[in-house]
Amino acid sequence: MTDFLRDLNDVQRSAVTATEGPVMVLAGAGSGKTRVITYRIAHLIRNNGVTPYNILALTFTNKAAGEMRHRIDKLLQSGSASGLWIGTFHSVFARLLRSYIHLIGYDRNFSIFDSDDSKSLIRQSMNELGITNDSLPVNAVQSIISKAKNSFILPSEFQSRPGDYNQQKAAKVYELYTRKLRENNALDFDDLLIKPLELFRAHEAVLGELQETFRYILIDEYQDTNRAQYLAAKMLGAKHRNIFVVGDDAQSIYSWRGADISNILNFQDDYQDSLTFKLVENYRSTGTILQAANSVIRNNHRQIKKELISNRSAGEPVTLIEAYNERQEGEKVAEHIRSMRQKDGHDYSGFAVFYRTNAQSRVLEDVMRQNRIPYRIFGSVSFYKRKEIKDAVAYLRFIVNERDNESLLRIINFPPRKIGDVSIAKLKEYAVLQDSSLYDAIRNAAEGGFQQRLVNALESFSSVIEKLKELSEYGSVYDVLSELYSLTAIPAQLQAENTAESLARYDNLQELLSMARDFSDHNPDSSSLGDFLENISLASDYDETRESDNYVSLMTVHASKGLEFPVVFITGMEERLFPLNTYEQDELEEERRLFYVAMTRAQEKIFLSWARSRYQYGQPQQCLRSMFVTEIDASIVRTESGELISGRSSSERASSSGTATSRGFQSKAPSPQSGIQTPRQESKSASKGFRAGAMVHHALFGPGMILEVHGSGSGQKVKIRFRTAGDKTLMVQYANLRIVS
């Protein structure tokens, strides 16, 4: 045995040395996943004499591929791994296609279109089909096509599938767009996964040649593979069957971009003679953190069971922070950071603050600035620097100061009004000739001899501005911003796109609206539009990164995957926020996996925080504590005062969670198989089943969550927030509600 294998624990070493046949390694968080892959490659080359050229290692990021190569070179001594195929799925498949794509009708010098190139070609296809961006946003079409390709659904199959209006229109665009890509001898990013499959199916000899080359296949983060990646790996490994996958089903959190958890869950069905190794010894987190994570994730049904164990001490309990609103929540987070720095000497870099949605960063950023705590946003940009926020604020600036040409030029074509650069240049010339401001030139464009189409567009724009200026004279900041959203329909357009990016931008605009309402409510004597803009200017001018590397990290939970920090704050632990607006079982389980990922980023300490009230869509909303907090083993959760929550009475726990009846840590949800109850059954079980926080289903309104319970027996009423129908108050006796959790 080569000495370097002694660095591994027993399970790691067994997985590394099981070189023949299919192998799955379930690598729990912090259990040494990358080490197993790199040591296995080094073992194959040094101890088994495998030629590097016969090894294919697939990852999901260039950074991960580079780190693996560096570690392998270090184990083997630089140069020993020359010829090794290691890279992302996309980069490796692009390399293969350069050699073989001529066999399926493309030239080897094909172009790879980036997202903008792809969007431009999709827009051309839509124009030719007479589909306007207003009826179906191009971003939505691009997203639909991308999801189809990642699922290996080709245009002909996609057209034959039933779907709503958007999908039917997108199917036509997909077919034309595919033809145009071929005419351009181009592939988009998703084609780098699709075209190899087409090649393998059309040319078995090529597939056989590649199967002989890639005798050993290793795949990192297997839980994140989509349908196309799964099929490609299965086809390439079919001959020698030395396929080695490493992943963790409990960390599958990317279904929204095509990842299919079934790939890892069904690996043992695909390869019934496979060996499975579970890496459960965690080198990152304390025993308490892992106990919390284990107690939550075991509530998922679709999983391969495993329990992480720590090689460290038990450590500190989880601390639950309760606040009356999101502002106090942020202030309490800042207070704990200051306290731990003074008490334990932590650097700022030892703290991370996670949130479920990007929009939540706004309040946290404001609090960090006010407390002079250096911070940095990861995976996104600072709230006030996000494009949609800068666009909306530019409208507000221009309403206050119509000579602000910088803001004017930013908003004149947002949303699109078909006012091009040539027209703007002519308007500037006209303003100079008239010795007027650019906005005056716009208002007087009808007298300047411009084309009627441009005049109409400019009149539409100036009409919006004038209405907002008039409203700003007597209305609040909230009123002005609400009217801006209504007149321009910007939020509605983002909703219509229905992509992950557009919905995040929509949430950010709603957070700005909430900020406006909060500002108006708490600054009655200085709540003018000018005061509001001054407040934003001071906030956005803050240098968040400073020159030091010593800062608190702020990020979404998705952005935290793969990272670790001594102290982690997970904020917004409320129903409809984390878990996020979901009542479907598969979606809820992914939200739970996301929470599991958040907890397992922590090395020493976890804080969970929630607010009884939070501004949503410009209005304060009462909140319920997240069901995920309830799922944590109560014996390891304490309040800020240090009180063990399991030692409190059920009534105290109910009060703390904001529920009408106990939804404490030890209560159990009713069985999902409880079915539709008769009024008599409902009356008997109301105290158990119909409680604030319970998930129910109504035959007409669909899934929803109970907010309030009033009365008992035949007169009992429940207020329910339905996913699509909003808030409804129903008589339990006649509602025929089915309890789902």
Side-chain angles (χ1 to χ4, degrees):
M1 178 187 296
T2 306
D3 287 345
F4 65 76
L5 293 183
R6 295 173 183 166
D7 298 338
L8 305 174
N9 65 35
D10 291 343
V11 182
Q12 290 173 338
R13 189 179 306 109
S14 296
V16 164
T17 55
T19 57
E20 304 305 308
V23 174
M24 176 170 66
V25 177
L26 290 171
S31 64
K33 167 180 65 71
T34 303
R35 165 175 283 215
V36 168
I37 296 176
T38 53
Y39 274 66
R40 182 182 178 88
I41 293 173
H43 173 67
L44 284 169
I45 295 171
R46 173 167 289 183
N47 296 341
N48 288 19
V50 176
T51 303
Y53 184 74
N54 294 134
I55 300 173
L56 171 63
L58 296 167
T59 70
F60 277 84
T61 67
N62 290 318
K63 179 181 178 182
E67 181 182 350
M68 283 187 191
R69 186 176 291 277
H70 174 74
R71 290 196 189 187
I72 294 165
D73 285 343
K74 189 173 181 180
L75 287 170
L76 297 178
Q77 300 175 350
S78 184
S80 300
S82 178
L84 176 68
W85 287 73
I86 185 169
T88 65
F89 278 90
H90 292 86
S91 64
V92 168
F93 288 177
R95 180 179 169 187
L96 291 177
L97 289 171
R98 291 293 179 194
S99 299
Y100 298 104
I101 200 169
H102 63 285
L103 297 174
I104 54 173
Y106 289 80
D107 292 338
R108 286 194 176 100
N109 61 343
F110 61 85
S111 299
I112 299 175
F113 278 10
D114 63 17
S115 180
D116 289 339
D117 297 330
S118 168
K119 190 179 298 181
S120 177
L121 201 60
I122 289 173
R123 189 179 289 110
Q124 289 179 36
S125 302
M126 291 174 64
N127 290 338
E128 290 185 22
L129 293 168
I131 302 172
T132 65
N133 191 69
D134 291 336
S135 65
L136 183 58
V138 65
N139 287 343
V141 178
Q142 187 178 40
S143 177
I144 291 171
I145 292 174
S146 179
K147 287 179 180 177
K149 287 187 174 184
N150 284 325
S151 299
F152 194 45
I153 302 173
L154 301 179
S156 57
E157 182 184 352
F158 194 71
Q159 282 191 314
S160 66
R161 293 191 170 201
D164 58 20
Y165 170 85
N166 286 357
Q167 289 173 315
Q168 291 172 9
K169 293 293 184 182
K172 296 179 180 179
V173 179
Y174 184 12
E175 182 181 35
L176 181 56
Y177 168 65
T178 300
R179 291 207 309 265
K180 286 184 173 294
L181 281 170
R182 184 176 287 273
E183 289 169 4
N184 283 272
N185 192 41
L187 308 180
D188 65 18
F189 205 56
D190 296 317
D191 282 331
L192 296 176
L193 304 179
I194 294 295
K195 294 305 174 184
L197 294 175
E198 293 182 20
L199 173 69
F200 299 161
R201 288 184 171 184
H203 297 275
E204 292 184 7
V206 172
L207 176 59
E209 181 182 331
L210 293 174
Q211 288 173 338
E212 190 59 36
T213 298
F214 301 133
R215 298 189 175 194
Y216 295 88
I217 298 175
L218 302 91
I219 305 175
D220 187 20
E221 303 286 9
Y222 193 64
Q223 77 280 351
D224 293 335
T225 53
N226 59 34
R227 177 68 177 171
Q229 290 162 331
Y230 161 80
L231 289 172
K234 191 171 185 180
M235 294 172 79
L236 286 171
K239 182 175 182 180
H240 293 285
R241 302 182 76 254
N242 295 324
I243 184 166
F244 180 86
V245 303
V246 181
D248 183 6
D249 59 292
Q251 297 186 71
S252 179
I253 59 174
Y254 296 118
S255 66
W256 49 275
R257 66 185 191 195
D260 186 352
I261 192 175
S262 298
N263 294 342
I264 192 167
L265 294 180
N266 296 337
F267 184 84
Q268 291 168 309
D269 293 330
D270 290 337
Y271 304 95
Q272 295 188 8
D273 59 337
S274 63
L275 297 176
T276 298
F277 298 92
K278 295 182 180 181
L279 303 183
V280 296
E281 187 174 359
N282 177 286
Y283 295 90
R284 174 189 300 153
S285 307
T286 64
T288 297
I289 291 171
L290 298 185
Q291 186 179 349
N294 288 332
S295 64
V296 169
I297 200 63
R298 70 168 61 106
N299 289 279
N300 272 4
H301 297 293
R302 295 190 71 202
Q303 64 168 307
I304 303 172
K305 296 288 186 180
K306 65 178 181 302
E307 296 267 329
L308 293 181
I309 57 175
S310 177
N311 69 349
R312 302 181 56 188
S313 62
E316 297 185 41
V318 175
T319 297
L320 180 64
I321 299 173
E322 179 181 319
Y324 59 79
N325 63 16
E326 67 265 48
R327 171 67 56 175
Q328 191 194 38
E329 178 188 39
E331 289 170 349
K332 285 192 170 191
V333 169
E335 180 182 335
H336 280 288
I337 290 174
R338 285 199 308 268
S339 174
M340 292 188 75
R341 274 178 50 78
Q342 293 172 358
K343 179 182 176 183
D344 303 322
H346 280 288
D347 289 335
Y348 285 119
S349 59
F351 299 94
V353 184
F354 299 161
Y355 35 84
R356 178 62 183 85
T357 66
N358 268 310
Q360 291 169 254
S361 78
R362 196 270 303 175
V363 172
L364 293 167
E365 290 183 67
D366 287 350
V367 170
M368 292 295 166
R369 284 190 296 270
Q370 291 163 7
N371 285 274
R372 304 184 66 82
I373 295 176
Y375 72 91
R376 183 177 174 187
I377 300 285
F378 282 81
S380 180
V381 295
S382 179
F383 181 82
Y384 299 105
K385 294 179 182 177
R386 294 167 191 166
K387 180 185 181 300
E388 59 276 10
I389 300 303
K390 295 182 75 172
D391 289 336
V393 169
Y395 267 102
L396 302 182
R397 292 190 194 282
F398 189 71
I399 293 165
V400 172
N401 175 20
E402 66 179 47
R403 302 189 72 84
D404 182 351
N405 286 347
E406 177 114 3
S407 293
L408 172 58
L409 293 174
R410 185 177 186 97
I411 64 178
I412 193 171
N413 226 11
F414 180 77
R417 298 184 175 92
K418 297 183 179 179
I419 304 173
D421 292 341
V422 174
S423 297
I424 292 173
K426 290 180 178 179
L427 284 167
K428 288 180 178 179
E429 293 175 3
Y430 181 58
V432 172
L433 288 174
Q434 296 296 312
D435 192 25
S436 67
S437 69
L438 181 56
Y439 185 56
D440 284 336
I442 288 171
R443 282 187 293 200
N444 299 324
E447 304 168 11
F450 294 99
Q451 292 181 354
Q452 191 59 45
R453 180 196 59 78
L454 176 60
V455 171
N456 292 342
L458 294 172
E459 287 179 347
S460 174
F461 170 70
S462 60
S463 173
V464 170
I465 297 301
E466 293 304 314
K467 288 177 182 177
L468 293 173
K469 286 174 64 177
E470 181 181 355
L471 180 58
S472 70
E473 294 296 325
Y474 62 86
S476 68
V477 175
Y478 171 79
D479 295 330
V480 174
L481 197 57
S482 295
E483 186 68 7
L484 168 64
Y485 289 178
S486 176
L487 292 172
T488 61
I490 296 169
Q493 291 174 17
L494 292 173
Q495 272 191 310
E497 285 185 21
N498 198 33
T499 64
E501 179 185 358
S502 70
L503 294 177
R505 293 171 62 194
Y506 172 84
D507 286 343
N508 288 333
L509 287 175
Q510 295 304 330
E511 178 61 23
L512 184 65
L513 188 64
S514 293
M515 177 187 177
R517 179 60 181 265
D518 189 27
F519 183 83
S520 299
D521 289 348
H522 292 89
N523 298 279
D525 299 325
S526 57
S527 59
S528 70
L529 189 51
D531 293 327
F532 181 71
L533 290 171
E534 181 179 332
N535 186 62
I536 288 178
S537 295
L538 293 174
S540 58
D541 283 344
Y542 179 83
D543 180 11
E544 65 184 39
T545 59
R546 309 270 177 106
E547 293 184 359
S548 169
D549 289 332
N550 191 20
Y551 47 73
V552 175
S553 298
L554 272 59
M555 67 189 74
T556 64
V557 180
H558 277 104
S560 75
K561 190 168 182 291
L563 304 177
E564 57 185 44
F565 302 90
V567 182
V568 165
F569 293 83
I570 309 174
T571 62
M573 293 303 305
E574 298 137 33
E575 293 293 321
R576 293 174 60 84
L577 185 55
F578 203 0
L580 181 66
N581 286 329
T582 180
Y583 305 103
E584 301 297 331
Q585 186 66 25
D586 286 349
E587 295 174 357
L588 181 60
E589 292 205 355
E590 179 149 334
E591 289 289 306
R592 189 176 282 112
R593 292 194 294 269
L594 191 58
F595 183 44
Y596 175 86
V597 166
M599 287 191 290
T600 54
R601 301 309 96 198
Q603 297 169 310
E604 300 170 10
K605 176 74 178 176
I606 293 177
F607 290 87
L608 304 176
S609 67
W610 74 287
R612 287 179 171 272
S613 173
R614 188 178 297 271
Y615 275 96
Q616 296 175 359
Y617 311 118
Q619 301 293 334
Q621 301 286 339
Q622 294 302 306
C623 304
L624 293 171
R625 194 177 67 195
S626 171
M627 62 189 297
F628 294 159
V629 178
T630 304
E631 293 173 352
I632 299 174
D633 186 338
S635 67
I636 57 172
V637 183
R638 294 181 182 268
T639 65
E640 290 178 274
S641 62
E643 181 184 359
L644 190 65
I645 288 186
S646 61
R648 303 165 74 191
S649 70
S650 60
S651 60
E652 287 177 315
R653 293 198 301 270
S655 173
S656 175
S657 66
T659 59
T661 58
S662 176
R663 190 179 177 181
F665 285 87
Q666 297 169 342
S667 65
K668 297 295 183 182
S671 168
Q673 287 77 36
S674 55
I676 299 175
Q677 299 171 312
T678 66
R680 181 179 298 275
Q681 288 174 315
E682 288 167 351
S683 177
K684 288 181 179 179
S685 65
S687 61
K688 289 174 57 180
F690 295 110
R691 65 186 190 283
M695 301 300 180
V696 295
H697 190 279
H698 187 274
L700 178 62
F701 302 131
M705 179 177 68
I706 296 178
L707 300 179
E708 300 171 7
V709 180
H710 301 284
S712 60
S714 61
Q716 188 177 51
K717 296 180 181 179
V718 287
K719 183 177 181 181
I720 302 173
R721 178 161 295 161
F722 290 102
R723 187 174 186 181
T724 56
D727 292 358
K728 305 284 183 184
T729 299
L730 305 174
M731 290 286 293
V732 170
Q733 183 174 1
Y734 305 110
N736 255 0
L737 295 169
R738 176 166 56 88
I739 302 168
V740 295
S741 72

